[in-house]
Amino acid sequence: MKTRSWIALLGLAALSACGQRSTPRFVYMPDMAYSPALKAQEPGVQPPVKGTIPTNYRGLAPSLTLEDAGKTLKNPLERTATVMARGQNRFQTYCLVCHGPAGEGDGTIVPKFPRPPSLQSDKIRNYQDGNIFHVITHGQNLMPSYAAQITPEDRWAIIHYIRALQRSKHPSAADVQASEAE
Ligand code: HEC
């Protein structure tokens, strides 16, 4: 027989080895073949870890514009030491990499990633807390949304911390008086 015919025969033999059975005759590792197929979504099977945020959860009405967010949203958190520490921790985890330790746009990823505008600018100092909340929630142009990583409460804590950073670079008369009164 010619080589080509042999190849054809071999091919046929290989094909006929694939039977119609859905279960193989010999199972090498039955535990894995017949493991119970639980769906992750079944209630009680995989309860989400405490603090899990659904990826589509924004904590903000999707139709609320940047402008309206600034006008209508108020920071619900008191400026306590705990809130400030939390805001610092979240800022340094999520924002510093691009915006830099004091928000000046000199994050560790810059200039591999385009330099973001400074959070010390007049524009952001004049922003309402709700404006910043909107940017964190929805992102803005190159900046992605952080709604899936940062809870609404933590966003407000971050905003308190950004205000502290702003005051550190632009102390007001009240800051000076406070320190001189000590
Ligand atoms: C991946 C890099 C990156 C990260 C991380 C990031 N940002 Fe930004 N951010 C940007 C860029 C880039 C812009 C400018 C977007 C544009 O062109 O409008 C921006 C814009 C902003 C603005 C608006 C500035 C302006 O002048 O319009 C605010 C406020 C802001 N970011 C806050 C934050 C906060 C708070 C965090 C952390 C929760 C954060 N960003 C995390 C890259 C980042």
Side-chain angles (χ1 to χ4, degrees):
M1 248 198 276
K2 285 189 187 150
T3 331
R4 218 185 291 162
S5 320
W6 274 113
I7 293 173
L9 255 178
L10 268 173
L12 266 178
L15 270 178
S16 60
C18 309
Q20 299 295 310
R21 284 165 193 273
S22 53
T23 43
R25 238 174 297 217
F26 175 73
V27 182
Y28 174 53
M29 287 176 80
D31 283 355
M32 291 183 75
Y34 303 117
S35 64
L38 297 178
K39 289 208 166 118
Q41 294 85 356
E42 269 175 39
V45 175
Q46 291 276 345
V49 177
K50 194 169 168 278
T52 302
I53 312 172
T55 49
N56 59 357
Y57 177 70
R58 290 280 178 270
L60 184 61
S63 58
L64 197 71
T65 62
L66 177 76
E67 214 189 329
D68 288 342
K71 283 188 196 141
T72 56
L73 303 180
K74 292 274 164 286
N75 196 328
L77 301 183
E78 295 251 2
R79 223 170 63 199
T80 61
T82 316
V83 163
M84 204 53 98
R86 178 68 181 169
Q88 177 183 40
N89 173 287
R90 296 295 86 185
F91 180 89
Q92 291 178 345
T93 304
Y94 289 109
C95 320
L96 183 148
V97 62
C98 293
H99 285 280
E104 292 174 304
D106 53 347
T108 37
I109 202 175
V110 178
K112 277 190 189 138
F113 185 85
R115 188 186 178 103
S118 174
L119 302 179
Q120 299 282 357
S121 66
D122 289 348
K123 174 183 168 188
I124 303 304
R125 279 161 56 218
N126 290 326
Y127 253 20
Q128 298 300 311
D129 286 357
N131 293 129
I132 303 180
F133 189 86
H134 192 277
V135 175
I136 304 176
T137 306
H138 292 300
Q140 179 182 291
N141 301 319
L142 267 185
M143 178 178 150
S145 156
Y146 281 86
Q149 286 100 317
I150 307 177
T151 61
E153 200 177 329
D154 281 346
R155 287 173 228 162
W156 291 118
I158 287 175
I159 293 166
H160 272 315
Y161 183 68
I162 292 175
R163 297 301 187 206
L165 290 177
Q166 292 174 339
R167 283 196 301 278
S168 78
K169 296 278 172 188
H170 307 268
S172 68
D175 291 314
V176 177
Q177 276 163 15
S179 64
E180 283 181 350
E182 273 168 20

